Amino acid sequence: MIFVTVGAQMAFDRLVRAVDQWAKDAGRSDVFAQIGPAEYTPEHIEHVGFLEPPEFTERARAASVIVAHAGMGSIITALTMGKPILVMPRRGDLRETRNDHQIATAQRLSELGKVAVAMDETELVERLGRLDDLASTGTIGPYAQDSLIAAVRGVVFPSQDR
Amino acid sequence: MADEKASKQTPRVLAIASGGGHWVQLLRLRPAFEGARVTYVSVRPAYASDVPGERFIAINDATRWDKVGLLKMALRLVFIMLRVRPNVVISTGAAPGYFAIRLGKLLGARTIWLDSIANVEEMSMTGMLVKDKASLWLTQWPHLAEDDGPTCHGSVL
């Protein structure tokens, strides 16, 4: 199953439309999408507006690949589950989010080898066409880096030795 | 007696974030609070299921464009802060964390701001606004750390 998620806050019709068209052309019937408050209604993929956290986790777990906006909730969920993830960043100039921070995030995380990135719909469809190339980058642990935990802990328990 | 003293020394932590990635990043810091009494605050009641057995309070969500929503959020946080009386306030953003850090500072709490890892090119606007209110002011990107700016001790990944 391919699980598509655009987060809960804002629609991302550009991504959903591209996946919907691709599913039709490629004859894929195993796509499930959480599309948020969308204006575009997909015709070829199963979809829902919003998933509560437990259902979200279940859908993500059942997926072989996650396709998402470049939001950290989606990305961290995929990484903790060891799922390959393909992201398309939202664009500020199209009012898909408040600025272009998702573009920068996607680029950095791509450089770190954490996610696969499609910058636009054309790249997304092209990348979806060779989904088998998408490999998991390995599972990350449930918690932040030890050095960050230690720094925070030092303020929470100032009198203790770290 | 010793137990009583120990419980008095147990820090009360208010850990707060808005939804989605902000909340997911906050959850990844949980080992830092082990041994403290934590109250989690976020914007979706269903998030309670992410912190089973812990105190969770849901507040309304609002962005900088929704002044009424922001006011409601700020007032709700005043009540929460007065009830919890946290020794430490920590947030990963955004609007709820901004108010909580300011209120926490006002009430004499130690305050920690961890800017989202999604802010790759510069600190977030809310992050900039709490600069002087945060005891620990953190970025997750080494290239954004500065001598008189945010420090970096690693990331949530």
Side-chain angles (χ1 to χ4, degrees), chain B residues 9-155:
Chain B
Q9 285 175 345
T10 303
R12 291 182 303 275
V13 174
L14 187 96
I16 179 166
S18 59
H22 292 285
W23 173 246
V24 171
Q25 292 178 67
L26 183 67
L27 290 178
R28 293 181 66 78
L29 296 173
R30 292 175 73 188
F33 317 140
E34 225 164 83
R37 285 194 56 204
V38 189
T39 302
Y40 289 92
V41 181
S42 189
V43 297
R44 286 185 186 280
Y47 284 165
S49 66
D50 291 327
V51 286
E54 313 231 36
R55 191 174 183 191
F56 177 86
I57 302 172
I59 57 169
N60 66 303
D61 200 2
T63 66
R64 73 183 86 145
W65 295 286
D66 171 13
K67 301 298 177 208
V68 176
L70 286 178
L71 185 66
K72 192 176 154 204
M73 176 190 282
L75 287 173
R76 182 102 165 83
L77 281 173
V78 169
F79 285 110
I80 291 170
M81 296 291 255
L82 290 175
R83 202 165 85 211
V84 175
R85 288 268 165 191
N87 305 107
V88 180
V89 176
I90 177 161
S91 182
T92 46
Y98 163 73
F99 288 124
I101 295 280
R102 291 205 68 134
L103 290 165
K105 171 88 176 173
L106 209 61
L107 292 171
R110 302 186 292 281
T111 52
I112 306 167
W113 178 271
L114 175 67
D115 217 49
S116 168
I117 193 169
N119 302 313
V120 168
E121 292 181 319
E122 54 182 13
M123 289 290 276
S124 63
M125 191 190 77
T126 36
M128 291 308 297
L129 289 171
V130 298
K131 176 175 182 174
D132 301 325
K133 313 290 177 194
S135 320
L136 191 60
W137 194 47
L138 298 169
T139 173
Q140 300 191 45
W141 293 101
H143 67 269
L144 293 185
E146 285 173 47
D147 288 343
D148 61 342
T151 52
C152 180
H153 292 274
S155 80

